[in-house]
Amino acid sequence: MLVNGVVLATDEGTPQGGPLSPLLANILLDDLDKELERRGHRFVRYADDCNSYVQSQRAGERVLDSVRQFLEQKLKLKVNEKKSAVARAGKRKFLGFSFRRWKGTVKVRVAPQARDRLLEELRHLTRRTRHGTLEEILKGINRQVVGWVGYFRLADTPSVFAELDEWLRRRLRQPIWKRWTP
């Protein structure tokens, strides 16, 4: 840590999920980007999340070991072993997206975990016993759905959006019927 031009040792980093964490990760991991580019790897990185794409399992293990060494020895960072793995691109998710090969091309899709997380949030917003007016409920739903669809609009999965629309329409009937009086 640098305080008034004096370097001080510290054992603490930035808090996980803090607003400064992604910025500092991008600054610090710029060296990793340059190293991976120098080696000719295909990769994608956002803040501290990084995926590297290679042809085989063996190459993946070799790249993972070399990246781990680079991060630990050169940048003095710890690698989270629970989150680090070598697997086919379709078996991993990245920022809520997953990938699949279809007719020789790679398609981007919404990861099932991201869809399930949205459905759980919508279940909470649309439960039959929820208090508030229908307009308030719809505002909450719109806030969630518009943000989610805006984030995942690049995904090649129109069926996910169609299923979400159908499910949400069925789900919205519950608070409407609960409030209905003949």
Side-chain angles (χ1 to χ4, degrees), residues 67-81:
V67 167
R68 183 182 295 121
Q69 284 181 348
F70 179 83
L71 290 171
E72 290 175 351
Q73 293 174 2
K74 177 125 177 161
L75 299 181
K76 308 291 186 224
L77 297 172
K78 293 179 188 173
V79 175
N80 186 338
E81 296 299 328

Side-chain angles (χ1 to χ4, degrees), residues 41-171:
H41 290 300
R42 289 181 283 172
F43 69 96
V44 60
R45 185 181 64 76
Y46 182 82
D48 63 347
D49 292 330
C50 183
N51 282 3
S52 184
Y53 302 98
V54 295
Q55 293 291 326
S56 67
Q57 178 80 16
R58 187 169 169 221
E61 291 167 1
R62 200 168 44 246
V63 168
L64 180 61
D65 287 340
S66 68
V67 167
R68 183 182 295 121
Q69 284 181 348
F70 179 83
L71 290 171
E72 290 175 351
Q73 293 174 2
K74 177 125 177 161
L75 299 181
K76 308 291 186 224
L77 297 172
K78 293 179 188 173
V79 175
N80 186 338
E81 296 299 328
K82 293 177 184 172
K83 292 183 178 180
S84 302
V86 176
R88 294 194 176 277
K91 300 290 183 193
R92 303 286 292 175
K93 66 179 182 63
F94 183 68
L95 303 175
F97 292 94
S98 61
F99 308 94
R100 68 181 171 106
R101 187 176 297 276
W102 188 71
K103 294 186 179 180
T105 62
V106 176
K107 298 289 184 179
V108 178
R109 62 184 184 166
V110 177
Q113 299 93 329
R115 184 187 63 88
D116 293 345
R117 207 169 29 252
L118 173 69
L119 292 180
E120 191 58 40
E121 291 168 4
L122 292 176
R123 256 186 217 103
H124 176 72
L125 289 172
T126 58
R127 66 187 191 276
R128 284 178 2 128
T129 57
R130 170 123 192 265
H131 297 289
T133 65
L134 188 58
E135 290 76 25
E136 292 170 347
I137 293 171
L138 290 173
K139 278 183 184 179
I141 291 169
N142 281 339
R143 189 172 29 255
Q144 286 294 119
V145 171
V146 168
W148 192 86
V149 170
Y151 180 78
F152 288 106
R153 72 181 177 273
L154 300 175
D156 299 316
T157 51
S159 63
V160 170
F161 299 111
E163 290 168 6
L164 172 63
D165 183 51
E166 292 170 10
W167 181 87
L168 191 53
R169 275 189 274 120
R170 281 193 312 272
R171 188 77 188 175

Side-chain angles (χ1 to χ4, degrees), residues 2-15:
L2 190 64
V3 178
N4 296 327
V6 178
V7 177
L8 301 173
T10 179
D11 292 333
E12 295 181 20
T14 60

